[in-house]
Amino acid sequence: MIPDTSATDRSVAAPKRRLPWTWLAAGAGLLALLLVGWGWAGAGQSVSAERLRFATVERGLLVRDAQVNGRVVAAVSPTLYAPAASTVTLKTRAGAAVKQGEVLATLESPELRAERDRELATLRGLEADVARQRILAQKARLLAARTADEARLALQTAQRDAQRTERACAVQAIPKADCLRYADAVEAAQVRARHSDADAGLESQNDGLELKSREEALARQRAVVADVERRVAQLELRSPVAGVVGSIAVADRAVVPANAPLMTVVDLSQLEVELEVPESYADDLGLGMRVEVRVGARTIGGELTAIAPEVLERVVLARVRLDAQPEDLRQNQRISARVLIDEKPDVLMLARGPFFEQGGGRVAYVMDGGDAVRRPITTGAASVGAVEIVDGLAEGDRVVIAGTDLFDDAERVQVNE
């Protein structure tokens, strides 16, 4: 038999149990979460101040304005047209400086010159006709006057004959029938004299009306000839203003129809600015508003003189007359401008930033110690650089105006300076 092992057995102390290292890591993580949770419960979240921009609520003058773009245009830029179908011979080029009255092009129009010759011939014929009518009228008046004079002489003769026979008729020395015949002769002569005078007056009126009709036809023809002469004179295309040739629409020796545009002349001494104002400002625009135009590093004042009555491509065109004419301005040069719409003195205002668009002007984050606190606000007029504060903020409040998109609409955010 094999003996038992009791003689070899010995008691051994049980080893101490140790926590695994994973448990230690989990405990540390839990503690960190508790600390973070405590921080969030106090301030929502934490954002570095370097990622934010701040401004202070102030009281002062708020100028409501609009920042717009535009271009330089000429206040006077006439376009020259062909007075008739013609062949164009250019005497200048685009961009050339020209004086007022200088010939820019000559046009050849045989049809227009032939029309002028026809109208001149018609005019000469009417002039001769009027002269002839004046002679005929004078002759007719003379003839009527002679007839009237002869009638008066016949009346005088009849009256003398009646006077000679009056005594003889009284003593019945001659037959009574002869007496009556002489009396009838006087009455007949009186009738002829009256009618001759009336005929002379009517003849004079008729001749006057006929002559007047011919003279009016002559005047009409003279007006036609003057118009044709004007169009012929326009075959020499002259500059209406002093300036530069802006653009030429035709080639040299080109044949163009009547009223075709040929070229434009730009008067650079009278430049204006055409602004493209967004339609959201259309109702606020008014004639006479002041405008600040920026040309390079300079600012030039101006005044709104015209506003388009329609909206095109979501903009309203407006014209600005400049207070001064800089020499370095060029036609169609792009510029930026500031339209001064309104001024509101002694109002609470805050520098404008992305917070205004992001919150719709109804929310702002105000610094309270080291935290940014979300606060409802009411805004009023807004300009390019500032916003009117109607309610919710007080003078001296420090507000986050940029970077609020990092706050995720939290009620309180810790700002790390």
Side-chain angles (χ1 to χ4, degrees):
M1 268 181 85
I2 298 175
D4 58 25
T5 60
S6 61
T8 62
D9 292 338
R10 58 187 181 88
S11 61
V12 178
K16 296 180 179 181
R17 296 181 60 87
R18 294 182 179 180
L19 294 175
W21 65 271
T22 55
W23 288 18
L24 295 176
L30 179 60
L31 178 60
L33 288 175
L34 290 174
L35 292 176
V36 171
W38 177 84
W40 277 33
Q45 59 176 305
S46 177
V47 176
S48 173
E50 295 179 353
R51 304 178 67 183
L52 307 176
R53 187 156 58 93
F54 304 89
T56 303
V57 178
E58 301 175 345
R59 183 174 295 276
L61 174 65
L62 175 66
V63 179
R64 187 177 175 219
D65 54 7
Q67 190 74 30
V68 297
N69 296 321
R71 64 189 182 96
V72 178
V73 296
V76 179
S77 56
T79 300
L80 307 182
Y81 297 85
S86 55
T87 302
V88 181
T89 302
L90 298 177
K91 300 292 184 181
T92 187
R93 64 183 184 280
V98 295
K99 299 179 181 178
Q100 185 174 4
E102 181 177 342
V103 177
L104 305 180
T106 57
L107 294 84
E108 300 175 8
S109 177
E111 293 83 1
L112 184 57
R113 295 187 182 278
E115 181 182 355
R116 181 188 61 177
D117 294 340
R118 289 195 301 270
E119 299 298 342
L120 282 174
T122 303
L123 176 62
R124 287 192 289 269
L126 287 176
E127 289 175 342
D129 192 20
V130 168
R132 185 183 307 108
Q133 184 61 35
R134 286 173 180 163
I135 295 174
L136 293 176
Q138 187 175 4
K139 288 177 63 177
R141 285 195 296 270
L142 291 174
L143 180 60
R146 187 184 67 180
T147 303
D149 292 340
E150 290 177 348
R152 284 193 294 271
L153 289 174
L155 175 60
Q156 292 176 2
T157 302
Q159 289 174 342
R160 282 195 297 269
D161 290 342
Q163 289 174 358
R164 282 196 301 268
T165 59
E166 183 177 357
R167 292 181 181 179
C169 291
V171 296
Q172 298 181 354
I174 60 176
K176 187 176 182 180
D178 293 339
C179 294
L180 295 175
R181 187 173 62 253
Y182 284 112
D184 293 340
V186 171
E187 291 181 0
Q190 289 175 344
V191 170
R192 285 194 296 273
R194 286 196 304 271
H195 283 281
S196 297
D197 291 337
D199 289 343
L202 292 175
E203 186 65 28
S204 177
Q205 293 179 9
N206 180 67
D207 293 339
L209 290 175
E210 185 68 24
L211 179 60
K212 184 178 180 180
S213 176
R214 302 292 177 89
E215 288 176 343
E216 287 179 350
L218 177 61
R220 286 194 298 272
Q221 186 60 28
R222 283 175 176 165
V224 171
V225 171
D227 181 66
V228 176
E229 292 283 6
R230 177 185 58 81
R231 292 163 58 197
V232 170
Q234 289 178 346
L235 293 178
E236 279 193 339
L237 207 64
R238 298 180 180 272
S239 176
V241 296
V244 299
V245 178
S247 61
I248 299 179
V250 297
D252 190 27
R253 301 301 301 173
V255 178
V256 297
N259 300 318
L262 303 179
M263 63 182 69
T264 59
V265 181
V266 179
D267 184 1
L268 296 180
S269 65
Q270 301 184 50
L271 294 177
E272 293 184 346
V273 174
E274 185 177 72
L275 300 180
E276 299 172 354
V277 183
E279 64 175 327
S280 58
Y281 294 103
D283 294 337
D284 300 322
L285 295 180
L287 297 179
M289 285 184 175
R290 296 298 298 171
V291 180
E292 294 178 354
V293 178
R294 284 183 289 279
V295 181
R298 295 172 300 164
T299 299
I300 304 173
E303 181 179 296
L304 277 182
T305 58
I307 302 172
E310 58 183 350
V311 178
L312 296 175
E313 298 181 357
R314 304 183 67 83
V315 298
V316 176
L317 298 180
R319 281 292 185 102
V320 177
R321 183 190 299 119
L322 300 177
D323 296 339
Q325 294 285 328
E327 295 182 356
D328 56 347
L329 280 185
R330 295 291 181 268
Q331 173 87 344
N332 290 322
Q333 178 179 344
R334 300 297 299 182
I335 55 91
S336 61
R338 177 171 171 245
V339 182
L340 307 179
I341 298 175
D342 190 15
E343 291 185 353
K344 304 188 73 172
D346 194 29
V347 297
L348 285 179
M349 58 184 183
L350 180 65
R352 185 166 180 170
F355 87 97
F356 181 69
E357 285 75 18
Q358 292 168 0
R362 297 185 296 272
V363 175
Y365 281 87
V366 185
M367 295 303 298
D368 181 11
D371 296 341
V373 180
R374 192 172 188 267
R375 185 183 299 178
I377 64 172
T378 303
T379 58
S383 68
V384 175
V387 178
E388 179 188 7
I389 303 300
V390 178
D391 189 23
L393 297 176
E395 186 176 357
D397 285 346
R398 190 164 176 249
V399 181
V400 181
I401 63 172
T404 55
D405 55 326
L406 303 173
F407 296 170
D408 295 331
D409 295 331
E411 292 297 327
R412 179 180 289 269
V413 178
Q414 184 179 4
V415 179
N416 299 324
E417 297 289 346

PDB file of all heavy atoms in Angstrom, residues 87-112:
ATOM      1  N   THR A  87     -22.867 106.090 -98.020  1.00  0.00           N
ATOM      2  CA  THR A  87     -21.579 105.427 -97.832  1.00  0.00           C
ATOM      3  C   THR A  87     -20.743 106.271 -96.878  1.00  0.00           C
ATOM      4  O   THR A  87     -20.578 107.477 -97.093  1.00  0.00           O
ATOM      5  CB  THR A  87     -20.841 105.264 -99.173  1.00  0.00           C
ATOM      6  OG1 THR A  87     -21.672 104.514-100.067  1.00  0.00           O
ATOM      7  CG2 THR A  87     -19.526 104.535 -98.984  1.00  0.00           C
ATOM      8  N   VAL A  88     -20.204 105.642 -95.823  1.00  0.00           N
ATOM      9  CA  VAL A  88     -19.527 106.366 -94.748  1.00  0.00           C
ATOM     10  C   VAL A  88     -18.021 106.339 -94.965  1.00  0.00           C
ATOM     11  O   VAL A  88     -17.433 105.273 -95.204  1.00  0.00           O
ATOM     12  CB  VAL A  88     -19.863 105.748 -93.377  1.00  0.00           C
ATOM     13  CG1 VAL A  88     -19.181 106.528 -92.256  1.00  0.00           C
ATOM     14  CG2 VAL A  88     -21.362 105.707 -93.168  1.00  0.00           C
ATOM     15  N   THR A  89     -17.416 107.510 -94.882  1.00  0.00           N
ATOM     16  CA  THR A  89     -15.955 107.629 -94.896  1.00  0.00           C
ATOM     17  C   THR A  89     -15.531 108.196 -93.550  1.00  0.00           C
ATOM     18  O   THR A  89     -15.844 109.342 -93.222  1.00  0.00           O
ATOM     19  CB  THR A  89     -15.483 108.550 -96.030  1.00  0.00           C
ATOM     20  OG1 THR A  89     -15.947 108.027 -97.289  1.00  0.00           O
ATOM     21  CG2 THR A  89     -13.961 108.648 -96.044  1.00  0.00           C
ATOM     22  N   LEU A  90     -14.837 107.381 -92.748  1.00  0.00           N
ATOM     23  CA  LEU A  90     -14.459 107.788 -91.400  1.00  0.00           C
ATOM     24  C   LEU A  90     -13.278 108.746 -91.431  1.00  0.00           C
ATOM     25  O   LEU A  90     -12.335 108.586 -92.215  1.00  0.00           O
ATOM     26  CB  LEU A  90     -14.096 106.560 -90.563  1.00  0.00           C
ATOM     27  CG  LEU A  90     -15.223 105.539 -90.339  1.00  0.00           C
ATOM     28  CD1 LEU A  90     -14.711 104.338 -89.562  1.00  0.00           C
ATOM     29  CD2 LEU A  90     -16.398 106.181 -89.617  1.00  0.00           C
ATOM     30  N   LYS A  91     -13.314 109.746 -90.547  1.00  0.00           N
ATOM     31  CA  LYS A  91     -12.236 110.723 -90.414  1.00  0.00           C
ATOM     32  C   LYS A  91     -11.584 110.650 -89.031  1.00  0.00           C
ATOM     33  O   LYS A  91     -10.729 111.480 -88.719  1.00  0.00           O
ATOM     34  CB  LYS A  91     -12.785 112.146 -90.624  1.00  0.00           C
ATOM     35  CG  LYS A  91     -13.428 112.374 -91.983  1.00  0.00           C
ATOM     36  CD  LYS A  91     -12.406 112.320 -93.089  1.00  0.00           C
ATOM     37  CE  LYS A  91     -13.052 112.658 -94.432  1.00  0.00           C
ATOM     38  NZ  LYS A  91     -12.079 112.596 -95.552  1.00  0.00           N
ATOM     39  N   THR A  92     -11.969 109.681 -88.201  1.00  0.00           N
ATOM     40  CA  THR A  92     -11.437 109.570 -86.846  1.00  0.00           C
ATOM     41  C   THR A  92     -11.425 108.106 -86.456  1.00  0.00           C
ATOM     42  O   THR A  92     -11.774 107.222 -87.244  1.00  0.00           O
ATOM     43  CB  THR A  92     -12.274 110.396 -85.855  1.00  0.00           C
ATOM     44  OG1 THR A  92     -11.646 110.403 -84.579  1.00  0.00           O
ATOM     45  CG2 THR A  92     -13.681 109.825 -85.720  1.00  0.00           C
ATOM     46  N   ARG A  93     -11.052 107.840 -85.213  1.00  0.00           N
ATOM     47  CA  ARG A  93     -11.013 106.474 -84.685  1.00  0.00           C
ATOM     48  C   ARG A  93     -11.502 106.479 -83.238  1.00  0.00           C
ATOM     49  O   ARG A  93     -11.539 107.525 -82.588  1.00  0.00           O
ATOM     50  CB  ARG A  93      -9.599 105.904 -84.755  1.00  0.00           C
ATOM     51  CG  ARG A  93      -8.605 106.645 -83.892  1.00  0.00           C
ATOM     52  CD  ARG A  93      -7.198 106.090 -84.043  1.00  0.00           C
ATOM     53  NE  ARG A  93      -6.257 106.735 -83.133  1.00  0.00           N
ATOM     54  CZ  ARG A  93      -5.712 107.903 -83.339  1.00  0.00           C
ATOM     55  NH1 ARG A  93      -5.997 108.592 -84.438  1.00  0.00           N
ATOM     56  NH2 ARG A  93      -4.873 108.420 -82.460  1.00  0.00           N
ATOM     57  N   ALA A  94     -11.850 105.310 -82.737  1.00  0.00           N
ATOM     58  CA  ALA A  94     -12.335 105.204 -81.366  1.00  0.00           C
ATOM     59  C   ALA A  94     -11.244 105.607 -80.376  1.00  0.00           C
ATOM     60  O   ALA A  94     -10.085 105.220 -80.520  1.00  0.00           O
ATOM     61  CB  ALA A  94     -12.802 103.771 -81.082  1.00  0.00           C
ATOM     62  N   GLY A  95     -11.628 106.414 -79.389  1.00  0.00           N
ATOM     63  CA  GLY A  95     -10.682 106.871 -78.382  1.00  0.00           C
ATOM     64  C   GLY A  95      -9.989 108.171 -78.716  1.00  0.00           C
ATOM     65  O   GLY A  95      -9.262 108.711 -77.875  1.00  0.00           O
ATOM     66  N   ALA A  96     -10.214 108.688 -79.921  1.00  0.00           N
ATOM     67  CA  ALA A  96      -9.552 109.933 -80.314  1.00  0.00           C
ATOM     68  C   ALA A  96     -10.237 111.125 -79.661  1.00  0.00           C
ATOM     69  O   ALA A  96     -11.459 111.166 -79.545  1.00  0.00           O
ATOM     70  CB  ALA A  96      -9.578 110.079 -81.832  1.00  0.00           C
ATOM     71  N   ALA A  97      -9.435 112.091 -79.230  1.00  0.00           N
ATOM     72  CA  ALA A  97      -9.980 113.325 -78.667  1.00  0.00           C
ATOM     73  C   ALA A  97     -10.452 114.225 -79.803  1.00  0.00           C
ATOM     74  O   ALA A  97      -9.761 114.381 -80.819  1.00  0.00           O
ATOM     75  CB  ALA A  97      -8.925 114.038 -77.827  1.00  0.00           C
ATOM     76  N   VAL A  98     -11.638 114.809 -79.648  1.00  0.00           N
ATOM     77  CA  VAL A  98     -12.217 115.647 -80.703  1.00  0.00           C
ATOM     78  C   VAL A  98     -12.710 116.941 -80.088  1.00  0.00           C
ATOM     79  O   VAL A  98     -13.015 117.011 -78.894  1.00  0.00           O
ATOM     80  CB  VAL A  98     -13.370 114.921 -81.433  1.00  0.00           C
ATOM     81  CG1 VAL A  98     -12.862 113.712 -82.181  1.00  0.00           C
ATOM     82  CG2 VAL A  98     -14.453 114.504 -80.440  1.00  0.00           C
ATOM     83  N   LYS A  99     -12.808 117.968 -80.932  1.00  0.00           N
ATOM     84  CA  LYS A  99     -13.347 119.251 -80.517  1.00  0.00           C
ATOM     85  C   LYS A  99     -14.793 119.376 -80.996  1.00  0.00           C
ATOM     86  O   LYS A  99     -15.204 118.678 -81.927  1.00  0.00           O
ATOM     87  CB  LYS A  99     -12.515 120.387 -81.103  1.00  0.00           C
ATOM     88  CG  LYS A  99     -11.054 120.388 -80.646  1.00  0.00           C
ATOM     89  CD  LYS A  99     -10.290 121.524 -81.297  1.00  0.00           C
ATOM     90  CE  LYS A  99      -8.827 121.522 -80.860  1.00  0.00           C
ATOM     91  NZ  LYS A  99      -8.065 122.611 -81.524  1.00  0.00           N
ATOM     92  N   GLN A 100     -15.527 120.269 -80.392  1.00  0.00           N
ATOM     93  CA  GLN A 100     -16.908 120.501 -80.813  1.00  0.00           C
ATOM     94  C   GLN A 100     -16.911 121.071 -82.230  1.00  0.00           C
ATOM     95  O   GLN A 100     -16.197 122.018 -82.544  1.00  0.00           O
ATOM     96  CB  GLN A 100     -17.599 121.460 -79.863  1.00  0.00           C
ATOM     97  CG  GLN A 100     -19.080 121.665 -80.167  1.00  0.00           C
ATOM     98  CD  GLN A 100     -19.758 122.514 -79.120  1.00  0.00           C
ATOM     99  OE1 GLN A 100     -19.114 123.014 -78.202  1.00  0.00           O
ATOM    100  NE2 GLN A 100     -21.061 122.686 -79.241  1.00  0.00           N
ATOM    101  N   GLY A 101     -17.714 120.464 -83.101  1.00  0.00           N
ATOM    102  CA  GLY A 101     -17.799 120.909 -84.485  1.00  0.00           C
ATOM    103  C   GLY A 101     -16.802 120.237 -85.408  1.00  0.00           C
ATOM    104  O   GLY A 101     -16.856 120.450 -86.636  1.00  0.00           O
ATOM    105  N   GLU A 102     -15.914 119.416 -84.889  1.00  0.00           N
ATOM    106  CA  GLU A 102     -14.924 118.750 -85.740  1.00  0.00           C
ATOM    107  C   GLU A 102     -15.606 117.671 -86.582  1.00  0.00           C
ATOM    108  O   GLU A 102     -16.486 116.950 -86.122  1.00  0.00           O
ATOM    109  CB  GLU A 102     -13.841 118.133 -84.859  1.00  0.00           C
ATOM    110  CG  GLU A 102     -12.742 117.427 -85.636  1.00  0.00           C
ATOM    111  CD  GLU A 102     -11.656 116.888 -84.719  1.00  0.00           C
ATOM    112  OE1 GLU A 102     -11.585 117.338 -83.560  1.00  0.00           O
ATOM    113  OE2 GLU A 102     -10.883 116.021 -85.178  1.00  0.00           O
ATOM    114  N   VAL A 103     -15.175 117.541 -87.853  1.00  0.00           N
ATOM    115  CA  VAL A 103     -15.749 116.554 -88.766  1.00  0.00           C
ATOM    116  C   VAL A 103     -15.244 115.167 -88.381  1.00  0.00           C
ATOM    117  O   VAL A 103     -14.035 114.922 -88.334  1.00  0.00           O
ATOM    118  CB  VAL A 103     -15.397 116.873 -90.223  1.00  0.00           C
ATOM    119  CG1 VAL A 103     -15.948 115.782 -91.146  1.00  0.00           C
ATOM    120  CG2 VAL A 103     -15.964 118.223 -90.625  1.00  0.00           C
ATOM    121  N   LEU A 104     -16.167 114.252 -88.103  1.00  0.00           N
ATOM    122  CA  LEU A 104     -15.815 112.894 -87.708  1.00  0.00           C
ATOM    123  C   LEU A 104     -15.938 111.906 -88.863  1.00  0.00           C
ATOM    124  O   LEU A 104     -15.243 110.888 -88.873  1.00  0.00           O
ATOM    125  CB  LEU A 104     -16.713 112.435 -86.550  1.00  0.00           C
ATOM    126  CG  LEU A 104     -16.739 113.348 -85.315  1.00  0.00           C
ATOM    127  CD1 LEU A 104     -17.671 112.772 -84.267  1.00  0.00           C
ATOM    128  CD2 LEU A 104     -15.346 113.547 -84.758  1.00  0.00           C
ATOM    129  N   ALA A 105     -16.815 112.198 -89.809  1.00  0.00           N
ATOM    130  CA  ALA A 105     -17.015 111.320 -90.963  1.00  0.00           C
ATOM    131  C   ALA A 105     -17.764 112.094 -92.039  1.00  0.00           C
ATOM    132  O   ALA A 105     -18.456 113.077 -91.745  1.00  0.00           O
ATOM    133  CB  ALA A 105     -17.789 110.059 -90.576  1.00  0.00           C
ATOM    134  N   THR A 106     -17.591 111.673 -93.278  1.00  0.00           N
ATOM    135  CA  THR A 106     -18.364 112.237 -94.390  1.00  0.00           C
ATOM    136  C   THR A 106     -19.186 111.116 -95.010  1.00  0.00           C
ATOM    137  O   THR A 106     -18.748 109.967 -95.073  1.00  0.00           O
ATOM    138  CB  THR A 106     -17.447 112.857 -95.451  1.00  0.00           C
ATOM    139  OG1 THR A 106     -16.520 111.859 -95.931  1.00  0.00           O
ATOM    140  CG2 THR A 106     -16.662 114.035 -94.868  1.00  0.00           C
ATOM    141  N   LEU A 107     -20.394 111.483 -95.475  1.00  0.00           N
ATOM    142  CA  LEU A 107     -21.301 110.501 -96.042  1.00  0.00           C
ATOM    143  C   LEU A 107     -21.644 110.896 -97.473  1.00  0.00           C
ATOM    144  O   LEU A 107     -21.883 112.073 -97.752  1.00  0.00           O
ATOM    145  CB  LEU A 107     -22.590 110.397 -95.213  1.00  0.00           C
ATOM    146  CG  LEU A 107     -22.447 109.843 -93.787  1.00  0.00           C
ATOM    147  CD1 LEU A 107     -22.051 110.953 -92.819  1.00  0.00           C
ATOM    148  CD2 LEU A 107     -23.741 109.194 -93.318  1.00  0.00           C
ATOM    149  N   GLU A 108     -21.690 109.919 -98.335  1.00  0.00           N
ATOM    150  CA  GLU A 108     -22.052 110.137 -99.734  1.00  0.00           C
ATOM    151  C   GLU A 108     -23.435 109.544 -99.971  1.00  0.00           C
ATOM    152  O   GLU A 108     -23.640 108.340 -99.813  1.00  0.00           O
ATOM    153  CB  GLU A 108     -21.029 109.477-100.656  1.00  0.00           C
ATOM    154  CG  GLU A 108     -19.608 110.013-100.486  1.00  0.00           C
ATOM    155  CD  GLU A 108     -18.608 109.242-101.319  1.00  0.00           C
ATOM    156  OE1 GLU A 108     -19.058 108.397-102.132  1.00  0.00           O
ATOM    157  OE2 GLU A 108     -17.397 109.462-101.148  1.00  0.00           O
ATOM    158  N   SER A 109     -24.382 110.437-100.398  1.00  0.00           N
ATOM    159  CA  SER A 109     -25.760 109.990-100.623  1.00  0.00           C
ATOM    160  C   SER A 109     -26.284 110.619-101.911  1.00  0.00           C
ATOM    161  O   SER A 109     -26.851 111.728-101.876  1.00  0.00           O
ATOM    162  CB  SER A 109     -26.641 110.361 -99.431  1.00  0.00           C
ATOM    163  OG  SER A 109     -27.979 109.989 -99.669  1.00  0.00           O
ATOM    164  N   PRO A 110     -26.121 109.972-103.050  1.00  0.00           N
ATOM    165  CA  PRO A 110     -26.633 110.534-104.307  1.00  0.00           C
ATOM    166  C   PRO A 110     -28.150 110.737-104.276  1.00  0.00           C
ATOM    167  O   PRO A 110     -28.662 111.700-104.855  1.00  0.00           O
ATOM    168  CB  PRO A 110     -26.240 109.482-105.349  1.00  0.00           C
ATOM    169  CG  PRO A 110     -25.094 108.740-104.732  1.00  0.00           C
ATOM    170  CD  PRO A 110     -25.370 108.727-103.273  1.00  0.00           C
ATOM    171  N   GLU A 111     -28.876 109.857-103.596  1.00  0.00           N
ATOM    172  CA  GLU A 111     -30.324 109.990-103.544  1.00  0.00           C
ATOM    173  C   GLU A 111     -30.725 111.275-102.820  1.00  0.00           C
ATOM    174  O   GLU A 111     -31.635 111.997-103.271  1.00  0.00           O
ATOM    175  CB  GLU A 111     -30.936 108.784-102.831  1.00  0.00           C
ATOM    176  CG  GLU A 111     -30.789 107.454-103.573  1.00  0.00           C
ATOM    177  CD  GLU A 111     -29.437 106.813-103.334  1.00  0.00           C
ATOM    178  OE1 GLU A 111     -28.630 107.414-102.562  1.00  0.00           O
ATOM    179  OE2 GLU A 111     -29.175 105.740-103.894  1.00  0.00           O
ATOM    180  N   LEU A 112     -30.056 111.577-101.728  1.00  0.00           N
ATOM    181  CA  LEU A 112     -30.394 112.781-100.984  1.00  0.00           C
ATOM    182  C   LEU A 112     -30.062 114.036-101.778  1.00  0.00           C
ATOM    183  O   LEU A 112     -30.834 115.009-101.781  1.00  0.00           O
ATOM    184  CB  LEU A 112     -29.665 112.791 -99.642  1.00  0.00           C
ATOM    185  CG  LEU A 112     -29.989 113.949 -98.703  1.00  0.00           C
ATOM    186  CD1 LEU A 112     -31.489 114.002 -98.407  1.00  0.00           C
ATOM    187  CD2 LEU A 112     -29.201 113.824 -97.411  1.00  0.00           C
TER     188      LEU A 112
END
